[in-house]
Amino acid sequence: MKENILDAIPALENDIPPAEFMVQNFWIPVAWGLGIGLLLVGIGLWLIIRHKRRQARILPPTPLQVAFGELERLAEELPPLRECSLRLSMVLRTYLTGQVQDPALYETHEEFSRRLDALSAVPASCRYETRVLLERLADMKYAGDVPQDPQKARVMIEEARSVMSNIDRARSMEALAAAAQSK
């Protein structure tokens, strides 16, 4: 069983020229290039989709959330009643500007009172209580020396919270009704 190792090695055929092994097919590099290009495009699309999903999860706070945060800070600090009314008026006017695009933030109380379309974007069921609260806050702002009354400040803060919640709830109901009516 001893065989010669040299006999086990196959011999090359002499009639195949070495240049034959150097011939390349044109389509092989094109296929590799397309494959790599498609892979890179796929990775790019995946990264873009992933980035958009991540951005969609991080939504900016709504005007209601911002206003409630301000009310929480105001409730913790409980400043003097005049300052509290000033800050509450700013929070409420900022909320109205952000939520219903009412320009109340950019007007004086007199301009706001004279404007015929003031609070027209606020749901009808909430206009009266919003106007009454803004009037009370304005009266307190211009009253001069108002004694410190933490209980009254808390009541005003809760009233502002209630007004903003009612506006948000009424707007949601109007949006649902409009969506149902459009179908």
Side-chain angles (χ1 to χ4, degrees), residues 64 68 95 126 160-170:
L64 184 67
F68 278 3
Y95 168 75
C126 304
R161 184 185 315 275
S162 172
V163 164
M164 288 186 269
S165 294
N166 290 344
I167 291 171
D168 191 60
R169 190 175 312 110

Side-chain angles (χ1 to χ4, degrees), residues 38-148:
L38 286 174
L39 182 65
L40 290 175
V41 167
I43 290 172
L45 287 174
W46 177 74
L47 288 173
I48 290 171
I49 291 170
R50 184 173 160 220
H51 179 71
K52 285 186 179 182
R53 283 185 186 161
R54 190 172 286 166
Q55 277 184 335
R57 283 187 229 146
I58 303 170
L59 296 175
T62 65
L64 184 67
Q65 292 169 335
V66 171
F68 278 3
E70 289 295 320
L71 291 179
E72 288 298 321
R73 267 187 242 108
L74 199 55
E76 289 172 4
E77 294 174 17
L78 276 179
L81 206 49
R82 184 164 186 264
E83 181 185 341
C84 185
S85 68
L86 285 165
R87 290 174 59 187
L88 265 177
S89 178
M90 269 312 263
V91 169
L92 186 56
R93 288 170 181 255
T94 303
Y95 168 75
L96 289 173
T97 300
Q99 189 69 22
V100 296
Q101 286 71 42
D102 189 271
L105 180 63
Y106 310 109
E107 300 173 319
T108 64
H109 182 69
E110 290 78 22
E111 291 170 334
F112 172 76
S113 298
R114 288 184 192 144
R115 189 165 44 97
L116 294 176
D117 66 338
L119 302 178
S120 62
V122 174
S125 61
C126 304
R127 283 185 199 142
Y128 179 75
E129 66 180 336
T130 306
R131 185 172 292 281
V132 167
L133 178 60
L134 285 170
E135 291 291 333
R136 279 203 359 250
L137 291 173
D139 289 345
M140 203 165 295
K141 281 191 297 192
Y142 301 123
D145 190 25
V146 180
Q148 174 65 349

Side-chain angles (χ1 to χ4, degrees), residues 1-8:
M1 291 258 242
K2 276 189 162 186
E3 285 186 28
N4 189 355
I5 192 128
L6 292 175
D7 293 335

